[in-house]
PDB file of all heavy atoms in Angstrom:
ATOM      1  N   TYR A 586     -25.899 -21.398  12.171  1.00  0.00           N
ATOM      2  CA  TYR A 586     -24.847 -21.356  13.193  1.00  0.00           C
ATOM      3  C   TYR A 586     -23.478 -21.675  12.601  1.00  0.00           C
ATOM      4  O   TYR A 586     -22.479 -21.046  12.958  1.00  0.00           O
ATOM      5  CB  TYR A 586     -25.194 -22.331  14.313  1.00  0.00           C
ATOM      6  CG  TYR A 586     -24.177 -22.329  15.427  1.00  0.00           C
ATOM      7  CD1 TYR A 586     -24.197 -21.344  16.411  1.00  0.00           C
ATOM      8  CD2 TYR A 586     -23.178 -23.291  15.499  1.00  0.00           C
ATOM      9  CE1 TYR A 586     -23.287 -21.335  17.459  1.00  0.00           C
ATOM     10  CE2 TYR A 586     -22.241 -23.285  16.531  1.00  0.00           C
ATOM     11  CZ  TYR A 586     -22.298 -22.301  17.500  1.00  0.00           C
ATOM     12  OH  TYR A 586     -21.359 -22.274  18.495  1.00  0.00           O
ATOM     13  N   ASP A 587     -23.450 -22.583  11.656  1.00  0.00           N
ATOM     14  CA  ASP A 587     -22.160 -22.986  11.043  1.00  0.00           C
ATOM     15  C   ASP A 587     -21.545 -21.836  10.310  1.00  0.00           C
ATOM     16  O   ASP A 587     -20.318 -21.639  10.303  1.00  0.00           O
ATOM     17  CB  ASP A 587     -22.380 -24.155  10.081  1.00  0.00           C
ATOM     18  CG  ASP A 587     -22.631 -25.459  10.837  1.00  0.00           C
ATOM     19  OD1 ASP A 587     -22.369 -25.519  12.039  1.00  0.00           O
ATOM     20  OD2 ASP A 587     -23.086 -26.433  10.187  1.00  0.00           O
ATOM     21  N   ASN A 588     -22.374 -20.992   9.639  1.00  0.00           N
ATOM     22  CA  ASN A 588     -21.830 -19.807   8.944  1.00  0.00           C
ATOM     23  C   ASN A 588     -21.302 -18.787   9.930  1.00  0.00           C
ATOM     24  O   ASN A 588     -20.252 -18.201   9.725  1.00  0.00           O
ATOM     25  CB  ASN A 588     -22.958 -19.198   8.067  1.00  0.00           C
ATOM     26  CG  ASN A 588     -22.449 -18.037   7.286  1.00  0.00           C
ATOM     27  OD1 ASN A 588     -21.490 -18.138   6.492  1.00  0.00           O
ATOM     28  ND2 ASN A 588     -23.088 -16.867   7.455  1.00  0.00           N
ATOM     29  N   TYR A 589     -22.070 -18.576  11.022  1.00  0.00           N
ATOM     30  CA  TYR A 589     -21.631 -17.655  12.066  1.00  0.00           C
ATOM     31  C   TYR A 589     -20.259 -18.096  12.637  1.00  0.00           C
ATOM     32  O   TYR A 589     -19.355 -17.261  12.761  1.00  0.00           O
ATOM     33  CB  TYR A 589     -22.692 -17.623  13.158  1.00  0.00           C
ATOM     34  CG  TYR A 589     -22.244 -17.135  14.526  1.00  0.00           C
ATOM     35  CD1 TYR A 589     -22.126 -15.791  14.793  1.00  0.00           C
ATOM     36  CD2 TYR A 589     -21.969 -18.050  15.557  1.00  0.00           C
ATOM     37  CE1 TYR A 589     -21.705 -15.334  16.056  1.00  0.00           C
ATOM     38  CE2 TYR A 589     -21.553 -17.608  16.801  1.00  0.00           C
ATOM     39  CZ  TYR A 589     -21.418 -16.250  17.061  1.00  0.00           C
ATOM     40  OH  TYR A 589     -21.010 -15.843  18.303  1.00  0.00           O
ATOM     41  N   LYS A 590     -20.127 -19.390  12.953  1.00  0.00           N
ATOM     42  CA  LYS A 590     -18.851 -19.889  13.492  1.00  0.00           C
ATOM     43  C   LYS A 590     -17.747 -19.798  12.483  1.00  0.00           C
ATOM     44  O   LYS A 590     -16.588 -19.500  12.829  1.00  0.00           O
ATOM     45  CB  LYS A 590     -19.022 -21.311  13.966  1.00  0.00           C
ATOM     46  CG  LYS A 590     -19.840 -21.476  15.245  1.00  0.00           C
ATOM     47  CD  LYS A 590     -19.214 -20.728  16.421  1.00  0.00           C
ATOM     48  CE  LYS A 590     -17.926 -21.334  16.885  1.00  0.00           C
ATOM     49  NZ  LYS A 590     -17.374 -20.617  18.090  1.00  0.00           N
ATOM     50  N   ASN A 591     -18.083 -20.042  11.210  1.00  0.00           N
ATOM     51  CA  ASN A 591     -17.063 -19.969  10.152  1.00  0.00           C
ATOM     52  C   ASN A 591     -16.469 -18.544  10.064  1.00  0.00           C
ATOM     53  O   ASN A 591     -15.273 -18.371   9.938  1.00  0.00           O
ATOM     54  CB  ASN A 591     -17.672 -20.374   8.817  1.00  0.00           C
ATOM     55  CG  ASN A 591     -16.694 -20.316   7.687  1.00  0.00           C
ATOM     56  OD1 ASN A 591     -15.557 -20.829   7.774  1.00  0.00           O
ATOM     57  ND2 ASN A 591     -17.064 -19.634   6.603  1.00  0.00           N
ATOM     58  N   LEU A 592     -17.359 -17.549  10.124  1.00  0.00           N
ATOM     59  CA  LEU A 592     -16.906 -16.162  10.032  1.00  0.00           C
ATOM     60  C   LEU A 592     -16.013 -15.807  11.233  1.00  0.00           C
ATOM     61  O   LEU A 592     -14.961 -15.154  11.086  1.00  0.00           O
ATOM     62  CB  LEU A 592     -18.074 -15.190   9.970  1.00  0.00           C
ATOM     63  CG  LEU A 592     -18.943 -15.288   8.706  1.00  0.00           C
ATOM     64  CD1 LEU A 592     -20.150 -14.366   8.790  1.00  0.00           C
ATOM     65  CD2 LEU A 592     -18.084 -14.954   7.455  1.00  0.00           C
ATOM     66  N   LYS A 593     -16.375 -16.298  12.415  1.00  0.00           N
ATOM     67  CA  LYS A 593     -15.560 -16.034  13.610  1.00  0.00           C
ATOM     68  C   LYS A 593     -14.214 -16.728  13.477  1.00  0.00           C
ATOM     69  O   LYS A 593     -13.159 -16.152  13.820  1.00  0.00           O
ATOM     70  CB  LYS A 593     -16.319 -16.551  14.862  1.00  0.00           C
ATOM     71  CG  LYS A 593     -17.667 -15.937  15.090  1.00  0.00           C
ATOM     72  CD  LYS A 593     -17.594 -14.610  15.831  1.00  0.00           C
ATOM     73  CE  LYS A 593     -17.389 -14.847  17.309  1.00  0.00           C
ATOM     74  NZ  LYS A 593     -17.511 -13.607  18.078  1.00  0.00           N
ATOM     75  N   ASN A 594     -14.218 -17.946  12.967  1.00  0.00           N
ATOM     76  CA  ASN A 594     -12.964 -18.681  12.795  1.00  0.00           C
ATOM     77  C   ASN A 594     -12.037 -18.057  11.766  1.00  0.00           C
ATOM     78  O   ASN A 594     -10.843 -17.964  11.942  1.00  0.00           O
ATOM     79  CB  ASN A 594     -13.239 -20.134  12.409  1.00  0.00           C
ATOM     80  CG  ASN A 594     -13.874 -20.927  13.534  1.00  0.00           C
ATOM     81  OD1 ASN A 594     -13.716 -20.600  14.708  1.00  0.00           O
ATOM     82  ND2 ASN A 594     -14.638 -21.969  13.236  1.00  0.00           N
ATOM     83  N   LEU A 595     -12.671 -17.587  10.656  1.00  0.00           N
ATOM     84  CA  LEU A 595     -11.881 -16.897   9.604  1.00  0.00           C
ATOM     85  C   LEU A 595     -11.240 -15.641  10.168  1.00  0.00           C
ATOM     86  O   LEU A 595     -10.111 -15.287   9.817  1.00  0.00           O
ATOM     87  CB  LEU A 595     -12.769 -16.593   8.399  1.00  0.00           C
ATOM     88  CG  LEU A 595     -13.230 -17.744   7.535  1.00  0.00           C
ATOM     89  CD1 LEU A 595     -14.200 -17.253   6.474  1.00  0.00           C
ATOM     90  CD2 LEU A 595     -12.036 -18.441   6.897  1.00  0.00           C
ATOM     91  N   SER A 596     -12.004 -14.916  10.994  1.00  0.00           N
ATOM     92  CA  SER A 596     -11.460 -13.694  11.616  1.00  0.00           C
ATOM     93  C   SER A 596     -10.182 -14.010  12.408  1.00  0.00           C
ATOM     94  O   SER A 596      -9.200 -13.259  12.312  1.00  0.00           O
ATOM     95  CB  SER A 596     -12.540 -13.104  12.524  1.00  0.00           C
ATOM     96  OG  SER A 596     -11.985 -12.021  13.260  1.00  0.00           O
ATOM     97  N   ARG A 597     -10.224 -15.099  13.146  1.00  0.00           N
ATOM     98  CA  ARG A 597      -9.067 -15.480  13.980  1.00  0.00           C
ATOM     99  C   ARG A 597      -7.905 -15.981  13.069  1.00  0.00           C
ATOM    100  O   ARG A 597      -6.761 -15.615  13.299  1.00  0.00           O
ATOM    101  CB  ARG A 597      -9.430 -16.545  15.004  1.00  0.00           C
ATOM    102  CG  ARG A 597     -10.188 -16.022  16.175  1.00  0.00           C
ATOM    103  CD  ARG A 597     -10.341 -17.113  17.242  1.00  0.00           C
ATOM    104  NE  ARG A 597     -11.243 -18.151  16.843  1.00  0.00           N
ATOM    105  CZ  ARG A 597     -12.570 -18.121  17.056  1.00  0.00           C
ATOM    106  NH1 ARG A 597     -13.113 -17.100  17.689  1.00  0.00           N
ATOM    107  NH2 ARG A 597     -13.310 -19.157  16.659  1.00  0.00           N
TER     108      ARG A 597
END
Side-chain angles (χ1 to χ4, degrees):
Y586 182 80
D587 287 345
N588 183 56
Y589 159 80
K590 287 301 291 183
N591 179 50
L592 293 176
K593 301 276 281 189
N594 290 336
L595 288 175
S596 172
R597 284 189 289 271

